[in-house]
Amino acid sequence: MQPVVQIVNLNLKYQQKAVLKDLNWTINYGENWVLSGTSGSGKTSLAKIIAGMQSAIGDVKINFHTDSHLPAEVLFVESWYQFKNLEGVANFYYQQRYTSQQAKDTLTVHAELVGYGKENGLHFDSVEPILAALNFSSFASSQLIELSSGEHKKLQLVKALWLKPQLLIIDQPYTGLDAASRKNLNILLDKIAAEGVQLILICNDSELPSCINRFAEIKDGQLREVNSIENAPSVTEKHSKEIPDFLKDSPVYSSQNIVKMVDVNISYGEKQVLKNISWEVKAGEKWLLQGHNGSGKSTLLSLINGDHPQSYANELYLFGNRRGSGESIWDIKQHIGLISPEFHWYFDATATVWQSIASGFYDTVGLFQQLPYSKSAQVDELVEYFGLTESKNELLSALPLGKQRLVLLARTIIKNPELLILDEPCQGLDQQQTQHFNQLVDELCNNGMTLIYVGHFESQLPTCIEKRILLEKGEVKVVESLNTKTRHCEIRSNLLHSTI
């Protein structure tokens, strides 16, 4: 029997830089692969080439099984979901997510799935068990623009698991998913693999479906098979650079009360998203915010960011002032450095790396004014600190996803904000980049910065976190102090593997 995929002497250049060099790969029937490697190594490009979405020099052959009842196609599930409004346009703005109940300008999850089912000749009753397994059934009436990153990932996965193509390639399958959803996803992947679907998962995760029986990594443009992800050659750890001087000083606090919520409620029609939330964040505190997908984390953060219009109808204090007392959204944002998957989606991809970082001074999604010399020098320092000097004049959209995220991470800290909100900041980063950034977070917070950090993965949390709030179905389930590093690690490990 011929191999499912046979790649011979594949070469790919991007802007005169060789990404893939005479790469060879044979995938036989019954093999399910994990493809790992550092950010920017060419994993996603290789997947797109196999799926026929990107051209390259070399020989790529796909041999479908003619006797299979499964669709004879390669489905590539991208690392995040690209969707459009009812008019076929995708140029959304960030705050639009929270006003979409009035706009009604995107499809609901149910309508999207109905359309997908008709397009591919699928029976709707066969998708319902998948929705239930991923705890996604309750989102049927939600508009696409309202979904969080984890919920968008679930929608991508639901479609792929429903279609069951002969070859399924998933880029970062676990991004944004809580532990329960990751476990159920692995069960679903094992099930479709038993039905004949062959898998290529692009990730660096160790908790994988049991059907995975082959491992490879891309390094220096070449693909080499390894025994497992753990046994793949590790990246040499970079020497930690000294943090720029302008970030060594403590932020100038306008108030010791950063956030105060008193019985906050948020509803969309009959659907209540947050229920009687009371929470206080003091200057200098470091909080971990956790909860299942759909528990209300993103909505809670949108109140703090000043993006949610219902903040005025609640008793909410930010930086010592009650919301609705005359301050604008931009007054609020001056105090905050933010990164989130959703913000990344809507960021101006036409800005250069340097412009993207500089825009953090003005809380815009692009740079629209000339910087004074002192601010330009600070941008240069961060560009060098994050190892982006060679890319500083490139478009943000031209970089690998991991480097794009590093650029936006640099943007969040450029003004040394009073409050740093990091909503799953390490999505798309490799292990070394994740460690590097969390070391930076620890160093910043040693100098008094206030932190709210959202993260599902134990390996992707900074050590400085002192307190924890857990949401469950829109309500506060747990608020606790993590008094020692030992207790922190115990609680973090237990909860990440059970309740989150």
Side-chain angles (χ1 to χ4, degrees), residues 55 81 121 131 157 163-164 188 203-204 209 254 272 294 305 330 359 383-384 386 395 418 433 437 449 457 461 472:
S55 60
Y81 188 58
L131 293 169
L157 294 168
L163 180 64
K164 291 188 288 192
L188 292 169
C203 65
N204 292 297
S254 53
Q272 191 163 7
N305 299 335
W330 303 111
S359 70
V383 165
E384 197 276 333
F386 277 100
L395 293 180
E418 297 170 56
Q433 290 169 329
F437 177 71
M449 188 175 290
F457 294 91
L461 299 177
E472 186 175 298

Side-chain angles (χ1 to χ4, degrees), residues 368-432:
F368 307 107
Q369 55 187 292
Q370 188 79 21
L371 256 62
Y373 175 79
S374 59
K375 284 184 167 58
S376 295
Q378 290 178 354
V379 176
D380 289 338
E381 285 187 73
L382 274 188
V383 165
E384 197 276 333
Y385 180 77
F386 277 100
L388 297 166
T389 302
E390 293 183 0
S391 307
K392 70 176 183 179
N393 294 320
E394 293 185 33
L395 293 180
L396 179 66
S397 58
L399 299 184
L401 180 61
K403 280 196 173 183
Q404 289 185 39
R405 186 54 59 95
L406 280 180
V407 172
L408 295 184
L409 294 174
R411 180 189 179 277
T412 67
I413 60 174
I414 189 67
K415 60 185 179 183
N416 197 12
E418 297 170 56
L419 174 61
L420 196 60
I421 299 178
L422 304 177
D423 185 358
E424 298 195 59
C426 297
Q427 285 190 13
L429 302 188
D430 60 44
Q431 184 177 0
Q432 179 174 289

Side-chain angles (χ1 to χ4, degrees), residues 108-111 113 124-143 147 150-151 154-155 158 181 184 188 271 293-294:
T108 63
V109 169
H110 178 79
L113 290 175
F124 199 83
D125 56 356
S126 63
V127 78
E128 291 174 352
I130 303 172
L131 293 169
L134 291 177
N135 194 26
F136 201 55
S137 302
S138 62
F139 291 91
S141 61
S142 299
Q143 291 189 51
L147 302 180
E151 292 153 7
K154 286 185 178 181
L155 180 57
V158 166
S181 297
N184 288 338
L188 292 169
K271 182 180 180 181
N293 298 133

Side-chain angles (χ1 to χ4, degrees), residues 231-302:
N231 292 336
S234 58
V235 180
T236 304
E237 186 174 348
K238 293 181 181 178
H239 175 69
S240 181
K241 300 176 183 177
E242 185 176 359
I243 193 170
D245 288 339
F246 72 92
L247 292 175
K248 292 180 180 179
D249 295 330
S250 176
V252 179
Y253 283 108
S254 53
S255 172
Q256 288 302 302
N257 297 310
I258 303 300
V259 178
K260 182 178 180 182
M261 298 182 179
V262 181
D263 292 329
V264 167
N265 291 274
I266 299 292
S267 297
Y268 300 128
E270 296 181 358
K271 182 180 180 181
Q272 191 163 7
V273 180
L274 295 179
K275 306 174 186 177
N276 302 319
I277 301 291
S278 294
W279 183 32
E280 289 190 51
V281 177
K282 301 289 188 181
E285 291 181 342
K286 292 85 180 171
W287 283 85
L288 177 63
L289 170 61
Q290 291 187 311
H292 292 286
N293 298 133
S295 61
K297 301 186 302 296
S298 296
T299 302
L300 184 70
L301 292 179
S302 72

Side-chain angles (χ1 to χ4, degrees), residues 290 468 480 490-500:
Q290 291 187 311
R468 176 177 177 270
E480 62 186 344
E490 289 175 352
I491 292 174
R492 186 173 68 185
S493 178
N494 293 336
L495 289 167
L496 282 169
H497 288 91
S498 58
T499 65
I500 302 305

